[in-house]
Amino acid sequence: MNQTQQILFDEPGPRARRRIRIATVLGAVILVGAVVAAVYQFASHGELAAARWEPFTTWPIWRYLLNGLWATVRAAAATAVLSAALGLLLALGRLSAHRPLRWLAGAYVEIFRTVPTLLLIYVTLFALPQYGMNFPLFWKLVVPLVVSNSAAFAEIFRAGILALDRGQTEAGLAVGLRRGQVMALVVLPQALLQLTPSLVSQLVGLLKDTSLGFVVSYTELLYSGQVLSSYTHLLIQTFLVVALIYLVVNASLSKFARVLQARNGRFTGRRGRRSADLPPSLTEGNIR
Amino acid sequence: MDALTAHLSELGHGLVTTVELTVVTTVGAMLLGIIVATLRIAPVPLLRAIGTAYVEVFQNLPLLALLVLFVFALPTIGITFPLFTSAAIVIAVYEGAYLAEAIRAGINTVGVGQAEAARAIGLTFGQSLRHVILPQGLRAVIQPIGNICIALLMNTSLAAAVGVVELTQAANTVNLIEAQPLAVFTGAGLAYMLLALIIGQVTGLLERRLAIVR
């Protein structure tokens, strides 16, 4: 029982325990009812036949889906590295002492935070080729993802840098470091440590974004599912399995972010507490 | 520019669809978010588990995978809705998970004393939630909720990938006819930025009017 629950209700007495039991039974009945309705719906359309699920116990099908997953991971990794690097530069630009730099970085972030990624994908698919920029398939997915994710990364970095105690910068300047050195040696290492959980959560969002490969026909996991289902005609089974794979991979990443968060709180004490001051959208995972 | 003015009605229809989709799903997702956040803090362990599972599942699945599953695969077991309705349901269910987490963060900001006082004057769990905790908790997280609404606006564009003709799709169609990508896509991008700006202004206004200074 965590803190929230202690706030909202006392240790239940006999009457409350009875009510809890009743609510549990009611909840269980509704849950079982929903499962039964779903199974009935599947069964009445013949989708539960063993023959329609059996292919998913065979290696060739899994090899194909795992290839899709590997393509997803490759696209996500490329996007993560490039957009984190670009995001860091943009964050530094937004915090820079030079006004034009601040303005440019600010405009970039504000624009690409509010333009849908799919629109950017359509631009790379249908607009850029007319101007002689025809990327290979992989980059048609990765470039738009980098453009939009770098804006998100920039905001995470900026929040982390701003959340760090001003005294850290002042102390750095006082011992004679230049501004750039203070940033590289004092501020960034601490901000990054504190931001690791937010950055890992952003990875989940980014991995989900790679499903837009569906639109550009890049054979990542979702598009692989599409190809597979049009070949086997096992539509709902394939997409359920694909969803399950996404769920397992992303839930593991989310879990990892929570472990990091708990560990940051334990090892860095004061700093861990400060990460609680960041807006929830940054600490509570990706907003997309 | 000619491409924009010549196809104003298509683009206008797309814009209207985007706005409709955004409004309908925001309302739906908000209701779902409040329900799920309530489940997650309920005194009943089973309800808490259901709330947690909901958030965990829908925050970790790509929206596009959900849209594809719902629009293309569910008809094979006889579940069909009009396209717009399908897209609205899926996006609301997906964003509901994020709103639930934001609302839960808001509930966490409400002082322990508030809840204790509510119990002390004899309010039940539901009453203290409705009259004391939620009104304060929601007001504490107006800004994050606004951010989620902007993300929701951007996510409505994914409905294009399953065939809803909203702004992104309309822009794409017009571009395929006119081959004037610069004007068409810039126009659509500006429209999205304008809508996001409006959401930002409204949440800013709400926050100034409603935020509780502690």
Side-chain angles (χ1 to χ4, degrees):
Chain A
M1 189 167 286
N2 69 34
Q3 216 187 345
T4 319
Q5 280 112 44
Q6 279 168 4
I7 294 174
L8 289 173
F9 46 84
D10 290 312
E11 200 54 42
R15 263 173 59 198
R17 276 207 295 275
R18 198 168 58 233
R19 272 204 303 274
I20 289 176
R21 271 201 300 277
I22 293 171
T24 307
V25 171
L26 272 179
V29 167
I30 294 173
L31 197 64
V32 169
V35 171
V36 167
V39 169
Y40 173 79
Q41 201 70 24
F42 271 85
S44 63
H45 288 81
E47 296 290 340
L48 278 185
R52 297 189 74 82
W53 291 91
E54 191 256 69
F56 294 97
T57 59
T58 61
W59 175 238
I61 296 267
W62 274 100
R63 191 178 54 204
Y64 189 74
L65 286 176
L66 288 177
N67 268 336
L69 179 62
W70 175 233
T72 286
V73 169
R74 278 205 321 268
T79 309
V81 171
L82 293 174
S83 47
L86 185 55
L88 185 57
L89 286 178
L90 285 166
L92 293 177
R94 272 198 107 166
L95 295 166
S96 139
H98 301 284
R99 187 173 299 165
L101 210 57
R102 219 160 50 217
W103 193 87
L104 273 178
Y108 179 99
V109 171
E110 291 305 330
I111 290 173
F112 292 113
R113 268 179 71 194
T114 48
V115 172
T117 316
L118 184 60
L119 195 68
L120 297 175
I121 287 193
Y122 281 163
V123 169
T124 26
L125 275 184
F126 303 115
L128 293 187
Q130 293 191 16
Y131 301 103
M133 277 181 282
N134 208 347
F135 305 124
L137 205 50
F138 178 78
W139 296 103
K140 275 189 178 150
L141 175 63
V142 170
V143 168
L145 291 188
V146 168
V147 170
S148 70
N149 273 290
S150 57
F153 270 108
E155 285 303 275
I156 294 178
F157 285 129
R158 193 167 72 108
I161 292 170
L162 287 177
L164 201 67
D165 201 8
R166 268 177 59 90
Q168 297 284 338
T169 309
E170 286 163 3
L173 293 173
V175 296
L177 296 177
R178 279 179 284 110
R179 287 224 161 253
Q181 286 176 314
V182 170
M183 189 54 85
L185 299 173
V186 181
V187 175
L188 272 186
Q190 299 186 69
L192 285 184
L193 180 67
Q194 190 184 317
L195 285 177
T196 332
S198 306
L199 295 174
V200 176
S201 314
Q202 179 67 23
L203 280 186
V204 174
L206 195 153
L207 208 129
K208 291 198 291 184
D209 280 355
T210 61
S211 64
L212 285 164
F214 186 77
V215 181
V216 300
S217 315
Y218 170 68
T219 44
E220 42 67 57
L221 186 50
L222 188 59
Y223 189 72
S224 299
Q226 165 82 352
V227 173
L228 191 64
S229 70
S230 59
Y231 177 68
T232 59
H233 302 295
L234 303 172
L235 208 58
I236 197 158
Q237 291 83 357
T238 309
F239 284 119
L240 281 178
V241 170
V242 164
L244 193 67
I245 299 176
Y246 274 117
L247 193 61
V248 169
V249 172
N250 283 334
S252 317
L253 268 177
S254 306
K255 173 85 185 147
F256 181 54
R258 279 197 294 274
V259 170
L260 285 176
Q261 186 123 40
R263 179 184 281 203
N264 263 4
R266 201 168 67 233
F267 286 154
T268 55
R270 211 173 65 86
R271 245 181 274 139
R273 219 176 34 243
R274 181 156 294 122
S275 78
D277 297 340
L278 290 178
S281 57
L282 291 172
T283 50
E284 295 275 326
N286 180 273
I287 54 167
R288 216 166 277 162
Chain B
M1 270 334 251
D2 296 348
L4 278 185
T5 43
H7 295 273
L8 218 50
S9 72
E10 281 108 311
L11 292 170
H13 275 298
L15 181 63
V16 170
T17 307
T18 289
V19 172
E20 280 173 356
L21 200 53
T22 306
V23 171
V24 171
T25 40
T26 302
V27 173
M30 199 65 205
L31 289 176
L32 269 172
I34 291 176
I35 293 170
V36 174
T38 309
L39 285 180
R40 291 204 73 178
I41 56 167
V44 185
L46 178 72
L47 298 187
R48 280 206 298 276
I50 293 175
T52 310
Y54 181 95
V55 170
E56 195 66 13
V57 166
F58 290 108
Q59 280 199 339
N60 286 320
L61 280 180
L63 176 57
L64 189 54
L66 285 171
L67 280 166
V68 169
L69 183 66
F70 201 96
V71 174
F72 298 141
L74 282 196
T76 63
I77 57 163
I79 300 176
T80 43
F81 291 102
L83 199 51
F84 182 89
T85 316
S86 297
I89 293 174
V90 175
I91 300 173
V93 165
Y94 176 83
E95 299 289 345
Y98 287 96
L99 282 171
E101 282 302 271
I103 292 166
R104 199 165 67 103
I107 291 172
N108 279 332
T109 66
V110 178
V112 187
Q114 296 279 338
E116 283 173 352
R119 281 206 302 280
I121 59 170
L123 298 186
T124 63
F125 175 75
Q127 286 171 331
S128 64
L129 202 64
R130 203 160 61 242
H131 299 300
V132 181
I133 312 283
L134 269 183
Q136 298 188 68
L138 284 177
R139 288 158 88 169
V141 285
I142 292 174
Q143 196 60 48
I145 287 177
N147 285 339
I148 294 173
C149 290
I150 292 176
L152 185 153
L153 164 73
M154 291 167 66
N155 278 335
T156 59
S157 71
L158 290 188
V162 292
V164 178
V165 185
E166 40 64 79
L167 184 54
T168 299
Q169 194 56 43
N172 190 32
T173 316
V174 171
N175 174 53
L176 290 181
I177 299 168
E178 291 286 331
Q180 288 207 25
L182 195 65
V184 174
F185 286 121
T186 310
L190 285 176
Y192 275 108
M193 286 170 66
L194 188 70
L195 291 177
L197 192 71
I198 293 172
I199 297 176
Q201 291 294 319
V202 170
T203 46
L205 186 75
L206 283 178
E207 187 161 46
R208 276 195 301 282
R209 301 273 301 260
L210 299 176
I212 302 159
V213 183
R214 286 216 172 81

